[in-house]
Amino acid sequence: MLSNRTIGRQFFELLVESLDIPRSLYQRAVSRHRSLAEWLCRDGSRIREFSPHVSPQGSFRLGTVVKPLVAEAVYDLDNVATLMLPKATITQRRLKQLYGLEIQDYATAHGMLARPEDKNRCWRLPYADEVNFHLDSLPSLAEEQLFVRALRMRDVPEEWAKCAIAITDKRHPAYEKLTAQWLTSNPRGFARWFESRIGTFAEVRRRELVQRRLYA
């Protein structure tokens, strides 16, 4: 006869399996992020000189992706490409257009059937795979030191503050103006804060799950 502890563990394992995404999809997502990063840094890239840095954001970055409730739902992947360029030297519109040219060329070079979509803040790459998903890629600039110092004065740790970025948004009143007044975001800083909140409380349990290959 199974003990209550064994039954509880089996139930938990079944729950994890029902919520977790397929490992093949996670590996595919990692591959797509890397592929785009390599494309942006290749010889001939319009933005290579600005040292683009691509990193995942959202649920894939936080490790909180779960299976959609319905089979027809689309997995939403997100990443951000950060360029080393002063805000006052380029408009949001120009950055969005320049990045869009690279995204469109990437789609053509990789034989993607659906064309990239120009969203308010990002460019969306729809993938025609056996699993429905798209990649939203956000162009951005590294925030200036003046803004980073302002965050530090509000007691934001330096390792988080220096991750702040300036982002494009077609709805912004200064979208077509040459100005340092951009919207600001900090997905990498938020991810590091999130991980710090998990802390030692979850570390032991997380190591146990990984060792038993239960990826939640």
Side-chain angles (χ1 to χ4, degrees), residues 13-26:
E13 293 174 357
L14 180 62
L15 180 62
V16 167
E17 183 178 351
S18 66
L19 291 176
D20 201 11
I21 64 171
R23 185 164 180 77
S24 60
L25 176 58
Y26 176 80

Side-chain angles (χ1 to χ4, degrees), residues 67-139:
K67 290 180 181 178
L69 293 176
V70 294
E72 296 78 16
V74 177
Y75 283 100
D76 181 15
L77 311 183
D78 300 275
N79 68 21
V80 56
T82 304
L83 280 58
M84 303 304 297
L85 183 68
K87 290 185 293 186
T89 62
I90 190 171
T91 66
Q92 295 181 52
R93 179 186 179 89
R94 178 55 183 160
L95 176 61
K96 188 84 180 305
Q97 290 177 334
L98 196 62
Y99 193 69
L101 292 173
E102 287 298 322
I103 292 294
Q104 293 175 65
D105 286 352
Y106 174 87
T108 299
H110 289 77
M112 298 180 64
L113 299 179
R115 300 307 303 163
E117 302 172 27
D118 184 5
K119 314 300 281 188
N120 285 326
R121 294 185 176 183
C122 65
W123 281 89
R124 174 169 293 176
L125 285 163
Y127 288 91
D129 292 299
E130 62 273 16
V131 178
N132 290 331
F133 75 96
H134 58 245
L135 171 62
D136 288 339
S137 190
L138 173 70

Side-chain angles (χ1 to χ4, degrees), residues 206-214:
R206 182 165 55 181
R207 283 199 299 267
E208 178 187 341
L209 291 172
V210 171
Q211 290 170 358
R212 296 170 57 195
R213 303 186 65 80
L214 297 176

Side-chain angles (χ1 to χ4, degrees), residues 182-194:
W182 291 42
L183 291 179
T184 296
S185 185
N186 198 346
R188 285 191 296 152
F190 175 78
R192 294 182 182 184
W193 169 85
F194 181 84

